[in-house]
Amino acid sequence: MTPPSTLATAQRSLGDPDISYPLWPALTRGCPRTSTDTLSYPVDVDYAYERVDTALFEPGYAARHGVPRGAGIERWAPLLPPLDAPSLGEGGTPLIEFAPGVHIKDEARNPTWSHKDRLNRCTTSAAVRAGAPGVVVASSGNHGAAAAAYAARAGLRCVVFTSTDTPPAVDAFLHAYGAVVLPVPIDHRWPLVRKVVEHCGLHPVSNLTATHTGHAYGAEGYKTIAYEIHAELGAPAAVFVPTGYGELLYGVWKGFAELQRLGVTDSVPRIFACEPAAGGPLAAAVRAGVPATTVEVGDTDAYGIDCSVGGYRGVVALRASEGRPLLLTDDEMRAAQRELAAAGLWVELSAAAGLAGLRQVGDVEGPAVCISTSSGFKDVSVGTRTSEPVDPAWDEVRRRLRASGIDA
């Protein structure tokens, strides 16, 4: 049987839903008709929802429809943009019962150990369809690593503008995949991305606009997290999402909203945006009642979500789900990181923001899901030795064990 194909039909403006564009080419600079020099509105992918077979959400659908093992998010192809790039087996990450009523969606189990693999399967597919020789990205973390991997898998070149303090583990990821890695001062990254697009013809998988719009197809990959959560748990009461630009936040909300639209569920969880208190552009936009804004970012080790620029996607998701933004200190995130590690889950500090957000809010009425976005291997502190050599004499070993609280 032929695997199901996309039911995507068009790109629709979030600035004015009455404005739509053809599905192709993928818009990488937001909506050209509603955006201004200072505010950019994203575009969304629309689908022929009336043609969606809701059996898509039943167990065994993939096998019955010939979706091969290892196809990754292709399991959900009817509700995704065209998947022209080969898979690395992204998605299908575990939903772990962490405590009564609390579940962790562990995105570190993706091929490059983060949620960004879902996005990059979709954006690299757009590059393949465009016939581009490669992709270009500004990233010092998960996005760059995933872009490099999916480009390599598709036989494309990848240029990554990193910051000069990129964590060693991320730098190793990028070079392993054969990316062209160019560390530059952070404010120079996005202008250089635009120049590479103009002069080299590479497909951009980073934001190119004044406020964040991102790639038209990118957030669609994140919807599959909602589909997977629903398959195991139904619709939870709340989902806590580590939030930088808000694409993951929006994708998770949109996935649940589609499930409700199709009659698969009768509720959409409240979505909580978990941002570093050192910045928090989404929280600032909500406070000011504006579609998006820019903030100064202070010191934080949660480098994966320390964004100065927000985007309208996050505002839409919070408003529609009756959720709210949460501002978290590094201490709150470190406490959540230790709590996760004590349960066997090693996560990057940014990835612990979801659990930190739940702890800040307290109990919610019903099941809660905290999304953990990436592996602790990508944290800023990784790459330094933390254990000192020990004299192998038993007396010294026993002394160290007792100092650690182990009876010996």
Side-chain angles (χ1 to χ4, degrees):
M1 184 178 295
T2 303
S5 59
T6 180
L7 294 175
T9 58
Q11 298 172 89
R12 189 171 300 280
S13 173
L14 289 186
D16 181 349
D18 289 333
I19 298 174
S20 66
Y21 303 92
L23 182 63
W24 188 256
L27 297 177
T28 58
R29 297 175 184 263
C31 173
R33 290 171 59 186
T34 59
S35 299
T36 68
D37 291 341
T38 57
L39 177 64
S40 303
Y41 285 98
V43 293
D44 199 21
V45 179
D46 204 0
Y47 299 85
Y49 290 106
E50 72 282 359
R51 293 174 52 199
V52 175
D53 181 358
T54 56
L56 174 67
F57 304 101
E58 296 175 357
Y61 175 89
R64 292 196 304 272
H65 288 79
V67 179
R69 294 186 64 183
I73 59 173
E74 201 160 319
R75 159 78 173 80
W76 313 103
L79 285 171
L80 293 173
L83 295 176
D84 294 321
S87 175
L88 285 169
E90 66 288 333
T93 57
L95 185 67
I96 299 165
E97 187 172 13
F98 181 72
V102 178
H103 295 76
I104 305 295
K105 183 63 168 168
D106 187 7
E107 288 294 286
R109 312 294 182 91
N110 278 299
T112 74
W113 308 351
S114 91
H115 64 304
K116 290 290 185 180
D117 291 341
R118 298 179 191 257
L119 177 148
N120 276 283
R121 174 79 190 283
C122 295
T123 55
T124 305
S125 292
V128 170
R129 177 160 289 214
V135 300
V136 57
V137 57
S139 172
S140 296
N142 294 314
H143 188 22
Y150 280 82
R153 176 73 172 141
L156 303 178
R157 300 303 305 276
C158 180
V159 174
V160 186
F161 289 102
T162 68
S163 63
T164 53
D165 57 354
T166 297
V170 174
D171 186 67
F173 255 93
L174 296 173
H175 283 94
Y177 296 131
V180 178
V181 183
L182 302 173
V184 297
I186 189 166
D187 290 341
H188 291 262
R189 293 190 296 176
W190 291 275
L192 286 169
V193 168
R194 288 191 284 270
K195 286 186 177 297
V196 168
V197 172
E198 294 166 8
H199 293 279
C200 306
L202 271 61
H203 191 78
V205 294
S206 280
N207 186 60
L208 297 176
T209 51
T211 54
H212 194 274
T213 61
H215 193 288
Y217 291 0
E220 299 300 300
Y222 292 143
K223 298 188 310 187
T224 59
I225 294 175
Y227 302 158
E228 291 172 14
I229 291 171
H230 184 269
E232 293 192 52
L233 190 64
V239 181
F240 293 81
V241 185
T243 300
Y245 293 127
E247 288 182 293
L248 174 61
L249 185 86
Y250 179 83
V252 171
W253 165 77
K254 185 179 178 184
F256 279 110
E258 287 179 332
L259 291 169
Q260 184 183 51
R261 176 175 183 164
L262 294 167
V264 178
T265 183
D266 58 4
S267 64
V268 173
R270 294 184 70 194
I271 309 293
F272 290 85
C274 304
E275 298 181 285
L282 178 53
V286 170
R287 283 196 307 270
V290 296
T293 191
T294 301
V295 298
E296 294 291 330
V297 177
D299 292 334
T300 175
D301 285 337
Y303 76 96
I305 51 175
D306 64 343
C307 300
S308 61
V309 179
Y312 186 51
R313 291 184 194 275
V315 172
V316 170
L318 294 186
R319 182 188 299 150
S321 72
E322 300 183 353
R324 60 188 174 94
L326 306 171
L327 293 175
L328 303 159
T329 66
D330 278 22
D331 285 345
E332 287 177 298
M333 287 184 279
R334 286 193 184 98
Q337 187 182 42
R338 290 192 296 270
E339 190 179 352
L340 289 162
L345 296 170
W346 184 37
V347 308
E348 178 189 337
L349 186 63
S350 299
L355 180 61
L358 172 62
R359 295 300 184 232
Q360 186 182 98
V361 168
D363 293 335
V364 297
E365 295 183 4
V369 173
C370 303
I371 297 178
S372 176
T373 48
S374 64
S375 166
F377 188 70
K378 295 181 180 177
D379 229 337
V380 292
S381 62
V382 172
T384 58
R385 181 182 294 277
T386 57
S387 301
E388 294 297 324
V390 178
D391 185 326
W394 172 241
D395 285 347
E396 176 61 15
V397 171
R398 183 163 55 183
R399 185 188 70 77
R400 293 283 291 270
L401 290 171
R402 287 173 173 171
S404 300
I406 296 175
D407 189 16

